[in-house]
Amino acid sequence: MAGAPDESGPGSAAGEQMQQQHVACQVFPERLAQGNPQQGFLSSFFTNNQKCQLMLLKTLQTNPYVKLLLDAMKHSGCAVNKERHFSCEDCDGNVSGGFDASTSQIVLCQNNIGNQAHMNRVVTHELIHAFDHCRAHVHWFTDVRHLACSEVRAANLSGDCSLVNEIFRLHFGLKQHHQTCVRDRAILSILAVRNISKEVAQKAVDEVFESCFNDHEPFGRIPHNKTYARYAHRDFQNRDRYYSNI
């Protein structure tokens, strides 16, 4: 993503803000109508919200993918705060979550996240977007290739395309199946948030696929399962300690 050309110019900030609102309206319509909603005292007693908050807490405390990403964000100067950077909300359609670049906040769709495993995948996926937002100047709303690159990385590194998940979807047995899954999931994610044709989304993914698929930061490898993620987290911690002692 950092290698993608910078297409900012006069008036681009205003145009990007308008497109941010357009995308937010597509995925989180209540966010555009109400601004940036804060969870009030009474809302915590609603079943979906309470369940979402509890699952989120467990994910942040125990999931090795998420623990590595949180350490990497902190190391990059973008420490994550549970109360500030996560929001459990109701969402339209089948959307599970999203990264709101205008507020640097991860939205978790409490009405669509049904279990702990699903929460783990959504938080990991969105934290990869947050990590990309932290480390690079990403034009989320004006350059579809930037979005495509982050979606490729999120599908590749979050476990979205793990063997277990693909078997559950009845997708398996193809040559280079992981790459095919990553490509397909990235295209679907783009189409969920951008009002563009499938052909345009496919073209964007194809243009960035090789470089972004091979960008494994901060994991250093493709973490195919939790064991791989634990090893990657250990290596990241050791690397961090090594550089701090130089």
Side-chain angles (χ1 to χ4, degrees):
M1 296 204 13
D6 188 341
E7 298 184 356
S8 61
S12 63
E16 184 155 332
Q17 184 176 9
M18 290 181 64
Q19 292 190 49
Q20 282 180 345
Q21 290 185 338
H22 177 62
V23 173
C25 185
Q26 285 182 317
V27 184
F28 312 115
E30 73 284 0
R31 297 207 115 207
L32 185 60
Q34 301 176 9
N36 299 323
Q38 300 295 321
Q39 297 297 334
F41 177 77
L42 293 177
S43 68
S44 64
F45 289 95
F46 288 100
T47 303
N48 278 350
N49 187 266
Q50 186 177 44
K51 182 180 178 181
C52 178
Q53 297 288 351
L54 290 173
M55 288 193 296
L56 171 61
L57 181 61
K58 183 174 181 179
T59 293
L60 297 177
Q61 292 178 340
T62 66
N63 186 267
Y65 292 84
V66 169
K67 290 169 73 174
L68 189 157
L69 285 162
L70 292 175
D71 280 355
M73 294 280 288
K74 183 177 180 180
H75 182 77
S76 299
C78 301
V80 176
N81 178 278
K82 176 180 176 291
E83 304 304 323
R84 161 66 181 85
H85 294 109
F86 293 92
S87 180
C88 290
E89 304 175 12
D90 285 337
C91 306
D92 284 353
N94 296 320
V95 178
S96 297
F99 176 64
D100 185 344
S102 65
T103 60
S104 296
Q105 191 172 50
I106 290 172
V107 178
L108 301 170
C109 298
Q110 61 193 19
N111 55 320
N112 292 331
I113 299 176
N115 55 59
Q116 188 66 51
H118 192 184
M119 174 66 78
N120 292 343
R121 291 197 303 274
V122 173
V123 172
T124 302
H125 185 111
E126 302 308 333
L127 274 175
I128 292 170
H129 292 322
F131 176 77
D132 289 343
H133 187 70
C134 172
R135 70 170 181 158
H137 187 54
V138 184
H139 296 285
W140 295 103
F141 307 101
T142 58
D143 192 335
V144 69
R145 292 171 299 172
H146 286 206
L147 174 61
C149 185
S150 193
E151 292 296 357
V152 166
R153 282 176 32 77
N156 189 27
L157 301 174
S158 67
D160 283 351
C161 289
S162 69
L163 179 61
V164 171
N165 287 333
E166 283 296 272
I167 290 175
F168 182 76
R169 299 176 188 127
L170 301 180
H171 296 162
F172 48 87
L174 298 176
K175 186 178 180 181
Q176 291 190 318
H177 181 74
H178 182 75
Q179 289 91 327
T180 301
C181 173
V182 168
R183 189 185 301 273
D184 291 346
R185 301 291 293 176
I187 292 169
L188 287 174
S189 293
I190 293 169
L191 293 175
V193 298
R194 293 290 292 270
N195 186 24
I196 59 177
S197 68
K198 186 175 182 179
E199 290 73 23
V200 171
Q202 289 173 330
K203 184 175 184 292
V205 169
D206 288 342
E207 288 178 352
V208 304
F209 189 82
E210 183 175 358
S211 61
C212 299
F213 181 83
N214 290 307
D215 179 1
H216 301 151
E217 286 300 310
F219 293 90
R221 70 190 82 183
I222 299 176
H224 291 288
N225 54 47
K226 286 185 178 180
T227 299
Y228 280 92
R230 290 188 188 97
Y231 288 148
H233 189 202
R234 180 199 62 191
D235 291 347
F236 180 87
Q237 290 174 317
N238 290 338
R239 180 177 60 182
D240 191 27
R241 282 193 288 266
Y242 172 76
Y243 285 114
S244 67
N245 291 327
I246 293 179

